[in-house]
Amino acid sequence: MSMRFAANARRGLVALTVAAGLAAAVSGCGGGGGGDDKPSGPASAATADDDLGPSTQEGDSEQPLAELRGSDGLLLRITSARRDSGGFVTVDGTLKNDGARSAVIPSSLSGNETEIIKNGRSLGGATLVDPKGKKRYYVLRDTEGRPLTTTGFSTLRSGATLAVFMQFPAPPADVTEVDFQLPTFTSAGIKVSG
């Protein structure tokens, strides 16, 4: 019993430390040392309701880098793709149901890797492709195999949006344009900043 308590306490302490560090990174972003701007925010949506309502962080004022159409009226707007000092590229955007009915999020968005699929619905199937270097970059995952992307969603009501993010290894510094791909969606070229 005490071993179980100690293990749970350690997990809780690690989660608290990670959350505090990410909160500090988010509050301190704006010009300098960056870090992971959003990695844990949307990922904690693993307990989100099956029928999500409109997001208050829709970001319609931003001109998107790309708009990708998917099945059942789903629309993915990519609003930013930023390098950070840790060697990652974070892609942010919104997933919107442009259709007239509620849309079930296809499980194929998670990709086909067993390690990612076992962690539930996600955008783990997303990739960045460097067409000149002929290299494909997959969504990163943590030490327990969870993808570093928005997780835990299954349905979007008509007109509803969901803020999403995905983290990838950064391509070489001279690569500023990549193709973004997500299963069931059209692909699009995007510019990587930073």
Side-chain angles (χ1 to χ4, degrees):
M1 180 106 160
S2 63
M3 290 179 73
R4 180 184 291 176
F5 176 77
N8 286 340
R10 275 194 303 272
R11 266 188 247 129
L13 183 57
V14 167
L16 180 61
T17 303
V18 168
L22 290 172
V26 168
S27 66
C29 57
D36 297 341
D37 290 348
K38 282 190 177 179
S40 75
S44 63
T47 58
D49 294 330
D50 283 345
D51 199 13
L52 298 171
S55 168
T56 57
Q57 299 175 357
E58 191 169 328
D60 281 341
S61 63
E62 287 186 50
Q63 181 67 25
L65 296 177
E67 290 189 350
L68 294 75
R69 294 246 170 226
S71 59
D72 295 327
L74 293 175
L75 173 69
L76 176 62
R77 284 190 179 109
I78 298 177
T79 55
S80 70
R82 298 174 321 280
R83 290 178 191 272
D84 68 26
S85 59
F88 307 112
V89 169
T90 301
V91 175
D92 291 306
T94 56
L95 183 63
K96 181 178 183 181
N97 179 356
D98 249 0
R101 299 179 295 145
S102 287
V104 174
I105 306 300
S107 61
S108 58
L109 297 187
S110 298
N112 58 10
E113 293 183 45
T114 306
E115 188 75 14
I116 290 179
I117 292 172
K118 75 178 185 179
N119 286 291
R121 290 268 163 96
S122 72
L123 300 176
T127 59
L128 296 180
V129 177
D130 170 7
K132 289 181 183 171
K134 297 182 179 169
K135 189 159 184 186
R136 181 180 302 269
Y137 299 89
Y138 294 89
V139 168
L140 292 167
R141 43 193 91 108
D142 67 14
T143 56
E144 295 181 16
R146 292 183 297 254
L148 298 182
T149 179
T150 307
T151 61
F153 52 91
S154 60
T155 306
L156 277 180
R157 286 193 313 250
S158 176
T161 61
L162 174 67
V164 296
F165 85 97
M166 293 143 277
Q167 268 197 333
F168 303 89
D174 63 336
V175 176
T176 57
E177 294 189 20
V178 293
D179 292 332
F180 176 87
Q181 298 177 343
L182 182 65
T184 77
F185 281 77
T186 56
S187 63
I190 59 173
K191 289 196 172 207
V192 177
S193 63

